[in-house]
Amino acid sequence: MPKLNENYKKLQNNYLFAEIARRVNEFTSENPDKPVIRLGIGDVTKPLTKSALKALHEGVDMEGSSDTFQGYGPEQGYAFLREAISDYYKRNGVEVDADAVFISDGAKSDTGNITELFAKDNVILVPDPVYPVYVDTNTMDGKEIIYMNGTEENHFLPMPDESVKADIIYLCSPNNPTGACYNKEQLKEWVDYALKNQAVILFDSAYEAFVSDPELPRSIYAIEGARKCAIEFCSLSKTAGFTGTRCSYTIVPKELVFTDSNGEELSLHGMWNRRQSTKYNGTAFLIQHGAAAVFTEEGMKECQENIDYYMENARIISDMLKKKGIWYTGGENSPYIWFKCPGNMDSWEFFDYLLEKAQIVGTPGAGFGKNGKNYFRLTSFGKHESTREAMKRFDELF
Ligand SMILES: Cc1ncc(COP(=O)(O)O)c(C=O)c1O
């Protein structure tokens, strides 16, 4: 009989979105005449841009011709895409070697798979509230997690605490679910902490394309010293509408070298390369061909138009919260808006209230950790019309 990985028993059930769906289904079946507006989704709604689509079609055609057919590709990704990403960083003022770029099929898979590089007895520091994948993947590995609190007082941007000696630190900026974004000084504190404590920062920048303030860092490598202590995960999911198409990239700098228990040096770049070469046969050629078009001038312009569209929704939502005097964060350099539930309601009470009274669906903060208990997440990924209508209903509520 196989001995099973019983760490799976420690996982919280994927309760959040199932419970939301259950409550919404119950409401719509009892109230078929009341249309519901969904502002809870973390998925994009705009289709692929013209240039990405054209390149994807080209990629398919290339696979169908003996002159251009591509079989197995490099596990790390094609040089043309790794170089395009390195250039993209350069245009944003950040040096990242093409060799450090690993192409993958999702930031979700990579933030999950990276746990394999680390032994069980690390001190793993995770913010609360949090994107649940960091917690679940470490739990599956049987690793212990300690939490750092995101609160209104620290604007949901936890900072290093010298009394805690972490080995691995998860940071996500702009943040899901809170939309909060670290500035350079704050990230520098994290980098300094990591260098001093020989810790590794796992930096999730899946929403970097939503940062419009030129003073805010879009990459941890905008901070000096970060190449010695940080791995960065990024994705075309939200940048370019690739949530269904699947393409992401992870930066593992060669400077990330640590001493093992025998006093020998081990390179995280080398380990990740070995892991990917062994367990992954690369992202599909045609997807990478499509992804490269995202980084062209035209591709970037088209993506920006879509991001601007979403950010107009973020503005509509934020303006309403401002008008109502409700505390919120995010919505400026992020597609997420995170606010305090009015009337001292907890997030599930507020969920029911909003559904019942205004037929708006959002995401209760409790699903992202204990510090989310009294907060609520709305997203800007809907259509202008439905976002405006939702905020009109919201206005009439309070
Ligand atoms: C913080 C964060 N990281 C990673 C992901 C997943 O990205 P991908 O679609 O590339 O797997 C998401 C998706 O919602 C996210 O919110």
Side-chain angles (χ1 to χ4, degrees), residues 277-346:
S277 309
T278 304
K279 296 196 178 181
Y280 192 56
N281 249 340
T283 305
F285 163 75
L286 57 99
I287 301 293
Q288 294 192 58
H289 191 69
V294 167
F295 295 100
T296 61
E297 202 180 326
E298 184 59 18
M300 290 269 97
K301 193 169 144 268
E302 291 167 345
C303 289
Q304 191 57 51
E305 281 163 14
N306 287 349
I307 289 171
D308 291 346
Y309 180 93
Y310 295 134
M311 290 312 290
E312 170 63 12
N313 290 337
R315 193 192 56 74
I316 294 168
I317 298 170
S318 314
D319 281 355
M320 182 52 63
L321 295 172
K322 248 182 254 164
K323 178 175 165 190
K324 297 288 172 187
I326 295 172
W327 189 94
Y328 74 94
T329 181
E332 261 186 0
N333 293 284
S334 153
Y336 296 118
I337 300 103
W338 175 259
F339 61 95
K340 177 86 172 270
C341 300
N344 279 330
M345 279 184 259
D346 77 26

Side-chain angles (χ1 to χ4, degrees), residues 122-176:
N122 280 295
V123 177
I124 296 165
L125 195 56
V126 168
D128 174 340
V130 68
Y131 175 55
V133 172
Y134 316 149
V135 173
D136 287 354
T137 51
N138 279 292
T139 305
M140 286 169 177
D141 282 358
K143 293 184 174 128
E144 292 293 331
I145 297 166
I146 55 173
Y147 291 93
M148 46 181 168
N149 291 320
T151 61
E152 232 170 274
E153 288 65 45
N154 62 20
H155 290 262
F156 287 93
L157 293 168
M159 294 303 295
D161 172 353
E162 280 300 338
S163 68
V164 177
K165 297 285 170 235
D167 301 302
I168 295 163
I169 303 151
Y170 284 82
L171 298 178
C172 174
S173 179
N175 190 272
N176 178 17

